[in-house]
Amino acid sequence: MTGKRRGLRVLHVSPPLPPYNIVASSKLDAKLLKQVRQAFLALDIKNPEHKKVIQALDEEYDGFAPAR
C-alpha cells in the first residue's frame, strides 16, 4: 500500500479470479446443458487442439472448472 494510511487494513486477499464465466439459461434443455458442461470440463491443455479452445478467451487460461 502506498501513500497515507486511512484507517483501513486488508484482512484477506483472494487469488486472482478469471474475468469470464460461462453460464447457461435455465431454459436450456438439461441434457444439452450436461453435454456442453462435460465438453468444457473434458478439455485438456496438453492437447494442442484443446489448448486453442481454452486459450481463445485468454492466453493464460489452462482449463475450465465447475462453479455454482
Side-chain angles (χ1 to χ4, degrees), residues 1 5 7-15:
M1 178 184 270
R5 294 184 146 250
L8 300 175
R9 64 186 176 138
V10 176
L11 300 177
H12 176 75
V13 176
S14 69

PDB file of all heavy atoms in Angstrom, residues 1 5 7-15:
ATOM      1  N   MET A   1       0.853  -1.179   0.000  1.00  0.00           N
ATOM      2  CA  MET A   1       0.000   0.000   0.000  1.00  0.00           C
ATOM      3  C   MET A   1       0.888   1.228   0.000  1.00  0.00           C
ATOM      4  O   MET A   1       1.823   1.322   0.767  1.00  0.00           O
ATOM      5  CB  MET A   1      -0.911  -0.043   1.231  1.00  0.00           C
ATOM      6  CG  MET A   1      -1.790   1.177   1.342  1.00  0.00           C
ATOM      7  SD  MET A   1      -2.784   1.170   2.853  1.00  0.00           S
ATOM      8  CE  MET A   1      -4.211   0.336   2.264  1.00  0.00           C
ATOM      9  N   ARG A   5      -1.895   6.084   5.291  1.00  0.00           N
ATOM     10  CA  ARG A   5      -2.859   5.094   5.788  1.00  0.00           C
ATOM     11  C   ARG A   5      -4.162   5.821   6.072  1.00  0.00           C
ATOM     12  O   ARG A   5      -4.167   6.946   6.537  1.00  0.00           O
ATOM     13  CB  ARG A   5      -2.333   4.417   7.041  1.00  0.00           C
ATOM     14  CG  ARG A   5      -1.113   3.574   6.737  1.00  0.00           C
ATOM     15  CD  ARG A   5      -0.672   2.835   7.994  1.00  0.00           C
ATOM     16  NE  ARG A   5      -0.159   1.568   7.553  1.00  0.00           N
ATOM     17  CZ  ARG A   5      -0.745   0.397   7.769  1.00  0.00           C
ATOM     18  NH1 ARG A   5      -1.846   0.325   8.452  1.00  0.00           N
ATOM     19  NH2 ARG A   5      -0.217  -0.712   7.325  1.00  0.00           N
ATOM     20  N   GLY A   7      -6.827   4.301   7.920  1.00  0.00           N
ATOM     21  CA  GLY A   7      -7.591   3.571   8.911  1.00  0.00           C
ATOM     22  C   GLY A   7      -8.158   2.252   8.410  1.00  0.00           C
ATOM     23  O   GLY A   7      -8.944   1.617   9.084  1.00  0.00           O
ATOM     24  N   LEU A   8      -7.776   1.845   7.217  1.00  0.00           N
ATOM     25  CA  LEU A   8      -8.238   0.584   6.660  1.00  0.00           C
ATOM     26  C   LEU A   8      -7.077  -0.400   6.638  1.00  0.00           C
ATOM     27  O   LEU A   8      -5.930  -0.018   6.495  1.00  0.00           O
ATOM     28  CB  LEU A   8      -8.760   0.774   5.234  1.00  0.00           C
ATOM     29  CG  LEU A   8      -9.922   1.738   5.046  1.00  0.00           C
ATOM     30  CD1 LEU A   8     -10.221   1.907   3.565  1.00  0.00           C
ATOM     31  CD2 LEU A   8     -11.154   1.240   5.781  1.00  0.00           C
ATOM     32  N   ARG A   9      -7.415  -1.675   6.773  1.00  0.00           N
ATOM     33  CA  ARG A   9      -6.380  -2.690   6.620  1.00  0.00           C
ATOM     34  C   ARG A   9      -6.957  -3.879   5.870  1.00  0.00           C
ATOM     35  O   ARG A   9      -8.152  -4.162   5.939  1.00  0.00           O
ATOM     36  CB  ARG A   9      -5.790  -3.113   7.953  1.00  0.00           C
ATOM     37  CG  ARG A   9      -6.755  -3.774   8.861  1.00  0.00           C
ATOM     38  CD  ARG A   9      -6.110  -4.026  10.211  1.00  0.00           C
ATOM     39  NE  ARG A   9      -7.124  -4.580  11.084  1.00  0.00           N
ATOM     40  CZ  ARG A   9      -6.941  -5.571  11.908  1.00  0.00           C
ATOM     41  NH1 ARG A   9      -5.743  -6.120  12.012  1.00  0.00           N
ATOM     42  NH2 ARG A   9      -7.912  -6.026  12.654  1.00  0.00           N
ATOM     43  N   VAL A  10      -6.121  -4.556   5.146  1.00  0.00           N
ATOM     44  CA  VAL A  10      -6.527  -5.709   4.357  1.00  0.00           C
ATOM     45  C   VAL A  10      -6.566  -6.918   5.269  1.00  0.00           C
ATOM     46  O   VAL A  10      -5.581  -7.246   5.931  1.00  0.00           O
ATOM     47  CB  VAL A  10      -5.543  -5.946   3.183  1.00  0.00           C
ATOM     48  CG1 VAL A  10      -5.904  -7.204   2.430  1.00  0.00           C
ATOM     49  CG2 VAL A  10      -5.511  -4.736   2.273  1.00  0.00           C
ATOM     50  N   LEU A  11      -7.732  -7.570   5.322  1.00  0.00           N
ATOM     51  CA  LEU A  11      -7.885  -8.773   6.135  1.00  0.00           C
ATOM     52  C   LEU A  11      -7.611 -10.032   5.337  1.00  0.00           C
ATOM     53  O   LEU A  11      -7.138 -11.031   5.865  1.00  0.00           O
ATOM     54  CB  LEU A  11      -9.298  -8.839   6.725  1.00  0.00           C
ATOM     55  CG  LEU A  11      -9.694  -7.678   7.630  1.00  0.00           C
ATOM     56  CD1 LEU A  11     -11.137  -7.834   8.075  1.00  0.00           C
ATOM     57  CD2 LEU A  11      -8.761  -7.576   8.824  1.00  0.00           C
ATOM     58  N   HIS A  12      -7.946  -9.978   4.055  1.00  0.00           N
ATOM     59  CA  HIS A  12      -7.770 -11.150   3.199  1.00  0.00           C
ATOM     60  C   HIS A  12      -7.746 -10.696   1.738  1.00  0.00           C
ATOM     61  O   HIS A  12      -8.475  -9.802   1.364  1.00  0.00           O
ATOM     62  CB  HIS A  12      -8.911 -12.147   3.400  1.00  0.00           C
ATOM     63  CG  HIS A  12      -8.830 -13.335   2.487  1.00  0.00           C
ATOM     64  ND1 HIS A  12      -7.928 -14.364   2.678  1.00  0.00           N
ATOM     65  CD2 HIS A  12      -9.514 -13.659   1.375  1.00  0.00           C
ATOM     66  CE1 HIS A  12      -8.072 -15.266   1.729  1.00  0.00           C
ATOM     67  NE2 HIS A  12      -9.031 -14.860   0.924  1.00  0.00           N
ATOM     68  N   VAL A  13      -6.906 -11.335   0.963  1.00  0.00           N
ATOM     69  CA  VAL A  13      -6.855 -11.095  -0.477  1.00  0.00           C
ATOM     70  C   VAL A  13      -7.091 -12.428  -1.164  1.00  0.00           C
ATOM     71  O   VAL A  13      -6.395 -13.406  -0.885  1.00  0.00           O
ATOM     72  CB  VAL A  13      -5.492 -10.501  -0.906  1.00  0.00           C
ATOM     73  CG1 VAL A  13      -5.419 -10.339  -2.410  1.00  0.00           C
ATOM     74  CG2 VAL A  13      -5.241  -9.174  -0.211  1.00  0.00           C
ATOM     75  N   SER A  14      -8.097 -12.469  -2.041  1.00  0.00           N
ATOM     76  CA  SER A  14      -8.381 -13.713  -2.749  1.00  0.00           C
ATOM     77  C   SER A  14      -7.415 -13.865  -3.917  1.00  0.00           C
ATOM     78  O   SER A  14      -6.866 -12.872  -4.406  1.00  0.00           O
ATOM     79  CB  SER A  14      -9.820 -13.732  -3.266  1.00  0.00           C
ATOM     80  OG  SER A  14      -9.984 -12.795  -4.300  1.00  0.00           O
ATOM     81  N   PRO A  15      -7.221 -15.096  -4.372  1.00  0.00           N
ATOM     82  CA  PRO A  15      -6.398 -15.275  -5.568  1.00  0.00           C
ATOM     83  C   PRO A  15      -7.101 -14.621  -6.757  1.00  0.00           C
ATOM     84  O   PRO A  15      -8.321 -14.416  -6.718  1.00  0.00           O
ATOM     85  CB  PRO A  15      -6.309 -16.785  -5.733  1.00  0.00           C
ATOM     86  CG  PRO A  15      -7.356 -17.365  -4.863  1.00  0.00           C
ATOM     87  CD  PRO A  15      -7.738 -16.342  -3.848  1.00  0.00           C
TER      88      PRO A  15
END
